[in-house]
Amino acid sequence: MSTINVASANLDPEAARFVHSTVATYLSGAGWNFVSTPDLADILLVDLDTPAGASAWARLDGSRRPVRVAVTADHGRLASALAVGKPLRYSTLLSTLRRAANGEPGAGEVAGGASRFDPGKHLLGVIQGLVAGGRSAVVDHPDHAAVAIDSARRRWAVAGDRPLTPDIFRLPAGAFEMQMGPLPAALDYRPLEELLYRAAWHASNGRLQAGTDLSTPLRLRRWPDFTRVPYRPIHLRMAAYLQGRSATPLTIAERTGAAVSDVHDLLNACRAAGLITEARSESRPPPEQPSAASREGLLARIRMRLLGGAGKPRAGGDR
Amino acid sequence: MRQPKQPPAISKEAAKACDEAIDAMLAAYPDLHGALVSTADGHVVATRLPQGWERGDVAAMASSMTALAESVSQRTALSRCRNVIIEGEGGHITLLKVDRALTLTAVGKPTMNLGLQLSACRSCAEQICRSMDAQADGVASSTGSTRAHR
Amino acid sequence: MSAEIKIVFTGTVGAGKTTAIASVSDRPPVATDALATDDTGALKPTTTVALDYGEMRLPDGDKLRLYGTPGQHRFRFMWEILAKGALGFVILVDNTRPSPLEDLAGYLDNFGPWIERSAAVVGVTHGEYCRGPDLEQYHEFISRREAAHPVMFTDPRQPRHVITLMDTLLAALEFSTASADGAPET
């Protein structure tokens, strides 16, 4: 697998970070790297809308390396040459980069990005296996809490004295033992959906789930119970966006301003809890509201007051 | 006139006392449209309101008004609220606490003097309290028990 | 003069409206309680007869006003007064009542015209007793009404639960004015 280096020239810092994260998340597994030095680049994104960028573009004219990709707000330029419009969007950036690399797979395919989230490798897979087989058991680990899984009634409980901590969900599946048979009586049982959600949320680590297709629109069947499962504030906005709409993960990220890692965490957790369904097509994006800007400002102020500090994970069970 | 269904905490005798008191007041002051006694949580105890007036609504609104007024009164250092006066284009509405549990609402015509209306309501409230005290004393003396809380 | 910024808490008697506001208000809330003389008295000694009022100060000095409505139908005139201009609604439903879904329908109907212009979230209280409908049943019930309000189990005594409900309401408000339209779905 040959390496493809991508760099940017004269992009504003936020756009440069966007390119970097896109390459790291979706293309690094296929041998792509983001490099800070344009001289090392095979593909160079240049901001055509700045004088310095226009000069850099002109200097590259006639060069065989690197391949130039124009970043511009002038959408009239997008039809010719390799160009991507502002503001940058994951889908168009990915497809343009692949075109620049000549023959890379199209934007709809999973091109082998960074490591994938595989539920089967974690406690989540153990639980899902029990549920799929209709079996109940106490799942045990020598250093962690034991968890009773009641598949018939779709509920779970902590069995024993040790508290359940988030790191248990990141342990490899093979580290757990199962004690089949009647479950202990008089435990504090809770809906299984909560445990499935938490198990996926903590093991996901921002990764795309293996075997999922970025181009498949998804729909939220029902809201997670955020008073009982962990979440970050951005997850509420994503859930609200998906309420009554279907969208791909990239669209969700673009429309809500979420990082793709946050999108993956929410979707992985909702998928594990049975709250996500696939849709045939994406909903049209909501039209802009005339008063959207002022209302967004008000909502942001209220949100700031509620949270008392941006971006902290909220408790619904654990952090 | 048909008695409204009594909420459990108000006895039939107490309701009858309220009926008699407001009957007497309306007889003495024909410039009143009508009157109503309600519980603090908005149930009708006794009512003499003109046909077509929603007495249930009036009872509930009286409850809300007196509760809000009490809250305002306490927060503005006026201490307890004695009564609430609403001045409408067609007359005054006065709401007066009979005791902790009951409120007397009277609706006056444009010709009714406000001071007179308040005085009439106070007298009516006092009559209700006297009747209830007498009933409580009567029950106590017949059963040997202490006075029941209204 | 800026418009009033308010969120209305409504729902069944004893669901925890007053408690919810008290758990997040910056100052002791105003309550208008009176002795309960009917069946309510079996649940609690007093009941709200006008409104509850709490507030949260916003970063720029504005106040987010929190209003709680009385739960009984006879105080419905207060519902209309309080609902006007509300940013959104938090509907609390006591899951131990005989028909919580019917209760919810009543509040969705009563506040329907205002909810259509804003948003609502549903907090199911007393859910820890495991009686009453589960979240799937609430979701199906709301879906049959062609709505999609978020529903969560809530302990109104817990500030973080109440904040999560309000945070969810804000998220729903952000996208609620533009409903999904047109695209065929499966």
Side-chain angles (χ1 to χ4, degrees), chain A residues 22-46:
Chain A
T22 303
V23 171
T25 303
Y26 294 112
L27 299 173
S28 59
W32 292 57
N33 296 312
F34 184 88
V35 295
S36 55
T37 309
D39 288 346
L40 299 177
D42 300 301
I43 297 172
L44 183 65
L45 288 95
V46 181

Side-chain angles (χ1 to χ4, degrees), chain A residues 39-107:
Chain A
D39 288 346
L40 299 177
D42 300 301
I43 297 172
L44 183 65
L45 288 95
V46 181
D47 188 339
L48 270 191
D49 299 334
T50 63
S55 297
W57 182 271
R59 284 198 299 277
L60 289 167
D61 187 28
S63 302
R64 298 185 65 182
R65 272 186 79 254
V67 176
R68 304 175 303 177
V69 174
V71 179
T72 177
D74 181 356
H75 287 214
R77 286 175 164 172
L78 298 182
S80 62
L82 283 169
V84 61
K86 292 177 182 175
L88 291 174
R89 300 197 188 284
Y90 291 111
S91 51
T92 50
L93 178 61
L94 282 171
S95 65
T96 305
L97 286 173
R98 291 190 178 108
R99 281 168 48 221
N102 289 324
E104 282 290 318

Side-chain angles (χ1 to χ4, degrees), chain A residues 42-312:
Chain A
D42 300 301
I43 297 172
L44 183 65
L45 288 95
V46 181
D47 188 339
L48 270 191
D49 299 334
T50 63
S55 297
W57 182 271
R59 284 198 299 277
L60 289 167
D61 187 28
S63 302
R64 298 185 65 182
R65 272 186 79 254
V67 176
R68 304 175 303 177
V69 174
V71 179
T72 177
D74 181 356
H75 287 214
R77 286 175 164 172
L78 298 182
S80 62
L82 283 169
V84 61
K86 292 177 182 175
L88 291 174
R89 300 197 188 284
Y90 291 111
S91 51
T92 50
L93 178 61
L94 282 171
S95 65
T96 305
L97 286 173
R98 291 190 178 108
R99 281 168 48 221
N102 289 324
E104 282 290 318
E109 295 182 21
V110 175
S115 74
R116 302 291 165 165
F117 167 57
D118 183 353
K121 291 188 175 175
H122 304 280
L123 176 58
L124 174 61
V126 175
I127 300 169
Q128 289 176 326
L130 284 171
V131 173
R135 296 171 295 161
S136 297
V138 174
V139 181
D140 208 357
H141 186 285
D143 302 324
H144 290 271
V147 178
I149 305 296
D150 184 345
S151 296
R153 295 188 187 177
R154 292 199 67 84
R155 59 182 192 169
W156 73 281
V158 174
D161 299 327
R162 285 184 174 156
L164 192 68
T165 56
D167 49 349
I168 193 177
F169 300 114
R170 302 182 193 108
L171 296 174
F176 295 95
E177 290 181 1
M178 282 191 284
Q179 302 167 30
M180 314 299 289
L183 295 176
L187 295 179
D188 180 20
Y189 283 97
R190 305 182 67 82
L192 191 58
E193 171 188 312
E194 292 176 18
L195 184 66
L196 292 167
Y197 190 101
R198 288 166 69 183
W201 201 84
H202 287 293
S204 168
N205 203 24
R207 297 172 291 168
L208 182 66
Q209 183 159 329
T212 55
D213 186 344
L214 281 174
S215 66
T216 301
L218 303 170
R219 189 183 182 102
L220 190 66
R221 193 177 61 77
R222 167 169 67 77
W223 277 71
D225 187 349
F226 285 123
T227 61
R228 295 187 171 186
V229 296
Y231 71 93
R232 295 186 209 94
I234 192 65
H235 289 156
L236 300 182
R237 297 187 70 219
M238 284 190 267
Y241 184 80
L242 280 173
Q243 183 177 297
R245 290 187 190 91
S246 57
T248 66
L250 297 182
T251 300
I252 297 167
E254 289 164 8
R255 291 289 164 182
T256 62
V260 287
S261 55
D262 281 323
V263 177
H264 295 158
D265 282 342
L266 178 69
L267 295 181
N268 292 340
C270 287
R271 193 179 284 112
L275 302 177
I276 286 281
T277 58
E278 292 185 357
R280 194 173 290 159
S281 59
E282 266 194 314
S283 302
R284 281 199 293 272
E288 289 294 327
Q289 297 296 316
S291 59
S294 60
R295 182 143 99 156
E296 267 186 39
L298 170 62
L299 297 181
R301 282 187 288 137
I302 298 173
R303 189 172 287 123
M304 203 182 310
R305 170 61 185 83
L306 289 179
L307 301 183
K312 285 188 254 184

Side-chain angles (χ1 to χ4, degrees), chain A residues 193 219 221-228 231 233 236-237 240-241 243-246 255-256 275 278-287 289 295-296 298-299 301-307 314-317, chain C residues 5 24 26 56-60 62 64 87 117 127-128 135-136 139 148-154 160-161 163-168 170-186:
Chain A
E193 171 188 312
R219 189 183 182 102
R221 193 177 61 77
R222 167 169 67 77
W223 277 71
D225 187 349
F226 285 123
T227 61
R228 295 187 171 186
Y231 71 93
L236 300 182
R237 297 187 70 219
Y241 184 80
Q243 183 177 297
R245 290 187 190 91
S246 57
R255 291 289 164 182
T256 62
L275 302 177
E278 292 185 357
R280 194 173 290 159
S281 59
E282 266 194 314
S283 302
R284 281 199 293 272
Q289 297 296 316
R295 182 143 99 156
E296 267 186 39
L298 170 62
L299 297 181
R301 282 187 288 137
I302 298 173
R303 189 172 287 123
M304 203 182 310
R305 170 61 185 83
L306 289 179
L307 301 183
R314 304 297 301 183
Chain C
I5 307 167
V24 296
D26 285 341
M56 301 174 82
R57 286 181 211 92
L58 301 184
D60 59 352
D62 276 339
L64 171 65
L87 264 184
R117 295 195 285 269
E128 65 273 16
L135 291 186
E136 276 295 337
H139 163 72
H149 309 298
V151 185
M152 300 177 197
F153 284 119
T154 304
R160 60 181 175 84
H161 281 206
I163 286 175
T164 296
L165 278 183
M166 294 169 68
D167 214 354
T168 301
L170 298 182
L173 279 168
E174 202 166 342
F175 297 103
S176 71
T177 54
S179 56
D181 59 342
E185 289 294 345
T186 51

